[in-house]
């Protein structure tokens, strides 16, 4: 059955094309606009910018807020912004929307284009509680009224991902320097990450209560471990910037009195 709402998608990059395809699949009347000529996703209609902005819901998925903001006009009814940015950029757009009578939903896509429209995609959103068309893309999760929350969660989760990728690549280079292949090492790495992830909830609780007493592993011993990691990478002729950053950060926490505390106490250095 068709969906009576008209929805437009501004931006037919990798992600915007996947979003437009998912909307058409859900039966929405989909208008698409892109700055340069791009293949039109099946089931969608090409529109001028003016026509696209007149739709019931305007979904934006452009490279940055800087390229997005000049395109928007106060004739927009509902704006579902899926362009990545900082919390302050989202809040500024929310203020613009309020001043111009535009309903504003700020969302972030925790998926790659190939996962859009599947149960692997999760869309975190903040601002308006009405998720409008987001369920066409994945599972919508409302985070709160503050429009900046989605961007905040997005960058926090991506930061975790990038740190993990950095750690994995450093580990691959380290074992690779002795001829160990990724195929041999990676199963141990994924099992290890599963163990490590069980440590996050108690650590999170410690950062909340700020009680860092531990009978598991003191910061002291981890500072020594990070020194060994840095030295081992240097010995194997590898770049040491990543282990050094962690070593310095953990060591600062130790020097500031947390040597006998758990690793969670490092957050006291980060919060400054
Ligand atoms: N790809 C992912 O896996 C993924 C995942 C989550 C979130 N996102 C977010 O989704 C957004 C789009 O990502 P993407 O992967 O689709 O990027 P992309 O393939 O590089 O597409 C970028 C889009 O922005 C448009 N654009 C760039 N500069 C413009 C300008 N000055 N004026 C008008 N339009 C302009 C491009 O138009 P042209 O075609 O004319 O250049 C294109 O439609 C980003 O904010 C990204 O962080 C992406």
């Amino acid at each position: 059955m068709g969906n009576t709402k008209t929805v437009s998608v501004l931006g037919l990059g990798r992600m915007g094309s996947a979003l437009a395809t998912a909307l058409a699949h859900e039966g929405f009347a989909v208008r698409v606009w892109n700055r340069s000529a791009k293949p039109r996703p099946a089931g969608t209609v090409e529109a001028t910018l003016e026509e696209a902005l007149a739709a019931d819901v305007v979904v934006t998925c452009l490279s940055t807020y800087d390229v997005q903001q000049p395109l928007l006009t106060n004739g927009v009814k509902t704006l579902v912004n899926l362009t990545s940015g900082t919390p302050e950029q989202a809040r500024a757009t929310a203020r613009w929307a309020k001043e111009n009578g535009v309903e504003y939903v700020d969302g972030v896509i925790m998926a790659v284009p190939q996962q859009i429209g599947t149960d692997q995609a999760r869309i975190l959103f903040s601002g308006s509680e009405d998720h409008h068309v987001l369920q066409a893309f994945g599972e919508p999760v409302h985070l709160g009224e503050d429009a900046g929350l989605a961007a905040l969660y997005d960058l926090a989760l991506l930061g975790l991902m990038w740190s993990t990728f950095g750690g994995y690549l450093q580990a691959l280079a380290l074992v690779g320097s002795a001829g160990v292949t990724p195929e041999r090492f990676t199963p141990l790495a994924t099992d290890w990450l599963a163990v490590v992830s069980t440590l996050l909830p108690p650590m999170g609780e410690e950062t909340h209560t700020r009680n860092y007493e531990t009978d598991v592993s003191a910061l002291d011993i981890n500072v020594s471990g990070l020194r060994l990691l840095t030295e081992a990478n240097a010995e194997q002729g590898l770049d040491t910037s990543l282990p050094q950053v962690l070593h310095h950060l953990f060591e600062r926490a130790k020097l500031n009195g947390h040597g006998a505390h758990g690793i969670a106490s490092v957050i006291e250095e980060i919060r400054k």
Side-chain angles (χ1 to χ4, degrees), residues 11-15 34-36 38 61-63 67 84 109 111 113:
L12 288 180
R14 292 168 193 83
M15 187 53 89
N34 197 62
R35 172 183 60 167
S36 61
K38 276 270 167 77
C61 192
L62 298 153
S63 48
V67 307
S84 301
I109 304 167

